[in-house]
Amino acid sequence: MESVVFKDKAQALVELQAVENVVECLILQTCNRIELYIVSEKGEEMVNVAKQYLAKRSSLHYEEAYNAIETALDQEAYKHLIRITSGLESMVIGEEQVLNQIWDAYLEAEKAKTTGSILKHLFNRAMTVGRRIRDVTGISKGAVSVGSASVELAANLLGKLEDKKILVMGAGETGTIVAKSLARRCLSPVLFANRTYSRAVTLAETLGGKAVKFDEFQEVLVDADVVICATSAPHLLLTKEIVAHSTGQRTNQNDLIIIDISNPLNVEKTVQEISKVKLYTIDDLHLIAEKNLAERQKCVETACNMIDKELVVLNDDLKKLSVRLIISSLLSEAEQIRQVELAKAISKLGDVDDKKRKVIDDLTSVLLKQTFLPVIENLRIAASEDDREVINIAIKLFNKEGNCFDKDVR
């Protein structure tokens, strides 16, 4: 996963949008997932294109990456998205941080102009459903996040944290979660280091810790017990050389525990080759995740049932969206004709006051809507029932061939 990570998602969205047959696209990237959401008229073909696109980013690891990529098409893709917003696909079941990450991903794609009606509908609906499932099932109640799970891991490794010297690198969303979790368990002040020193100061003041300037964090490694790295920096912060230099001057006789939950990873893997240095990553949080899942099993079952019911409604909505453009174009052209003919009629009537003009305007508007209402409803019903014959007849009757019909998008 680390080999295919996107360091510039805005540019990646533009590149992905330029791929042939991609209509809409979005990239969701968190500490333990990289996902592409693509709307295309050629669903199955696009699955292979997307897999190749991701795998090629891994360069020498192409085959390994290609085989590791999981795919979902149509309803399975909708289901996967709702499972994520519901907290069922998180490493720590029920964690809430993923909701902000999903919405941020949507806003990034919207800003890059790579979203359209399908992704807009899907992501808005998924967010709403995800929150409702969390409220009804209580699956997020007391749930830990990846950040707090890293603190749990440190506690399991050391037995207790009360008298330990701990450095948190990063004062963003994940770093803040780590810090708050530590503040509830540590008697000694937690140290915070962040690129923007003022954010480290603010976090330290809020939680009773101490801020460390980012270029001075190496000095802390000399006697620290634990370092939890939770930044979004696109490069390594703790290299083997840096850690080796600091541990060479180390006054603390205990092992230095480094837990890296950054995205991408910020600690060089070879630091684990240094004597008395133990490196853990997000992959080492599975035991805590399994314990969390066992505690929430009943919530998970209820959530799955709610998702199955929601998929029926969502699938029907998406089918109706497939005739959205033909309906919109039809009503738009009819309204233009009404406006032209209304202007002609009022002109022939001569002096018409505002009250009479409004009566005539309302009358023609109602007549237009009533005339087309059965057509619109029948088109939506045809879409819901996958009646392509009726839809194709409508396209021919209203001369909408090739320029306004949303095909069977996936």
Side-chain angles (χ1 to χ4, degrees), residues 285-383:
L285 301 181
H286 288 300
L287 287 177
I288 295 165
E290 288 172 6
K291 177 183 176 183
N292 181 69
L293 174 59
E295 293 173 349
R296 290 169 171 73
Q297 196 56 51
K298 287 186 178 180
C299 297
V300 170
E301 293 173 7
T302 304
C304 288
N305 291 333
M306 291 179 69
I307 289 173
D308 288 340
K309 292 177 182 178
E310 172 61 25
L311 284 173
V312 176
V313 178
L314 182 58
N315 196 45
D316 188 56
D317 286 349
L318 289 171
K319 287 178 179 179
K320 289 176 180 177
L321 273 176
S322 70
V323 293
R324 178 187 58 84
L325 286 182
I326 189 173
I327 292 172
S328 176
S329 178
L330 184 61
L331 291 178
S332 178
E333 287 187 14
E335 176 62 18
Q336 289 176 16
I337 293 171
R338 185 185 78 86
Q339 291 289 351
V340 170
E341 296 303 319
L342 178 63
K344 287 180 183 178
I346 290 177
S347 177
K348 289 178 181 179
L349 289 172
D351 188 19
V352 179
D353 60 33
D354 290 342
K355 184 177 180 180
K356 291 179 180 178
R357 182 189 296 270
K358 186 176 186 307
V359 170
I360 298 171
D361 184 38
D362 289 346
L363 174 63
T364 55
S365 179
V366 170
L367 285 173
L368 185 148
K369 290 177 181 178
Q370 291 299 322
T371 300
F372 282 101
L373 185 60
V375 176
I376 293 169
E377 285 303 309
N378 284 326
L379 275 172
R380 286 174 175 161
I381 291 171

Side-chain angles (χ1 to χ4, degrees), residues 19 71 74 94 158 164 200-202 211 224 296 325 385:
V19 174
T71 63
D74 297 334
L158 295 175
K164 305 304 180 184
V201 171
T202 300
R296 290 169 171 73
L325 286 182
E385 298 176 351

Side-chain angles (χ1 to χ4, degrees), residues 1 42-43 71 74 95-96 98 122 134 158 162 165 183 204 244 246 253 284 294 301 355-356 365 381 386:
M1 190 182 78
K42 300 183 181 295
T71 63
D74 297 334
E95 62 96 2
E96 295 186 315
V98 71
L122 279 178
R134 290 167 186 267
L158 295 175
E162 288 83 353
K165 187 172 184 179
S246 297
Q253 297 302 308
D284 296 301
E301 293 173 7
K355 184 177 180 180
K356 291 179 180 178
S365 179
I381 291 171
D386 287 324

Side-chain angles (χ1 to χ4, degrees), residues 24-311:
E24 302 176 36
C25 62
L26 180 150
I27 298 173
L28 173 62
Q29 181 170 282
T30 70
C31 58
N32 66 332
R33 71 176 70 249
I34 298 173
E35 299 186 353
L36 306 182
Y37 288 84
I38 298 173
V39 176
S40 174
E41 296 173 5
K42 300 183 181 295
E44 294 180 6
E45 180 181 318
M46 185 52 60
V47 165
N48 291 323
V49 172
K51 286 184 69 173
Q52 290 174 14
Y53 173 82
L54 266 182
K56 283 179 180 177
R57 294 181 56 81
S58 65
S59 187
L60 297 176
H61 303 286
Y62 176 86
E63 187 173 344
E64 182 182 358
Y66 187 87
N67 293 331
I69 296 170
E70 298 179 6
T71 63
L73 186 65
D74 297 334
Q75 186 154 327
E76 286 303 310
Y78 316 150
K79 184 176 183 177
H80 176 74
L81 176 59
I82 297 175
R83 283 180 61 86
I84 293 178
T85 59
S86 303
L88 299 184
E89 290 293 326
S90 295
M91 174 175 284
V92 181
I93 299 297
E95 62 96 2
E96 295 186 315
Q97 190 179 3
V98 71
L99 282 171
N100 290 334
Q101 293 168 333
I102 289 172
W103 194 241
D104 286 344
Y106 175 77
L107 293 178
E108 287 171 350
E110 187 178 55
K111 184 177 180 180
K113 301 187 185 307
T114 63
T115 60
S117 60
I118 301 296
L119 289 184
K120 180 179 180 180
H121 184 81
L122 279 178
F123 275 76
N124 275 279
R125 187 63 171 268
M127 290 293 289
T128 300
V129 174
R131 289 193 180 102
R132 186 170 76 242
I133 288 174
R134 290 167 186 267
D135 289 342
V136 171
T137 64
I139 197 169
S140 296
K141 188 176 181 181
V144 292
S145 65
V146 170
S148 55
S150 67
V151 176
E152 188 71 26
L153 174 62
N156 289 346
L157 292 170
L158 295 175
K160 59 179 181 177
L161 300 178
E162 288 83 353
D163 58 346
K164 305 304 180 184
K165 187 172 184 179
I166 301 174
L167 170 66
V168 178
M169 298 179 66
E173 185 177 8
T174 302
T176 300
I177 292 173
V178 171
K180 289 180 178 179
S181 183
L182 282 169
R184 291 192 292 267
R185 308 180 69 144
C186 297
L187 297 178
S188 302
V190 178
L191 305 176
F192 303 105
N194 193 65
R195 285 285 183 194
T196 306
Y197 182 62
S198 60
R199 292 188 68 175
V201 171
T202 300
L203 192 58
E205 291 176 346
T206 303
L207 300 175
K210 294 181 180 179
V212 177
K213 290 186 177 179
F214 209 76
D215 56 1
E216 297 176 356
F217 75 82
Q218 295 180 47
E219 299 174 11
V220 179
L221 299 181
V222 174
D223 61 346
D225 292 287
V226 180
V227 176
I228 300 180
C229 197
T231 83
S232 57
H235 54 272
L236 295 175
L237 297 177
L238 290 178
T239 63
K240 183 178 181 180
E241 182 182 359
I242 290 174
V243 176
H245 177 74
S246 297
T247 54
Q249 307 171 49
R250 194 163 167 79
T251 57
N252 190 332
Q253 297 302 308
N254 298 323
D255 290 346
L256 172 61
I257 294 175
I258 301 176
I259 302 175
D260 187 6
I261 56 172
S262 302
N263 178 33
L265 294 176
N266 288 162
V267 182
E268 192 171 17
K269 293 179 181 178
T270 51
V271 303
Q272 59 193 343
E273 298 172 2
I274 302 171
S275 176
K276 296 185 74 64
V277 173
K278 306 295 183 183
L279 174 63
Y280 300 88
T281 67
I282 195 166
D283 293 332
D284 296 301
L285 301 181
H286 288 300
L287 287 177
I288 295 165
E290 288 172 6
K291 177 183 176 183
N292 181 69
L293 174 59
E295 293 173 349
R296 290 169 171 73
Q297 196 56 51
K298 287 186 178 180
C299 297
V300 170
E301 293 173 7
T302 304
C304 288
N305 291 333
M306 291 179 69
I307 289 173
D308 288 340
K309 292 177 182 178
E310 172 61 25
L311 284 173

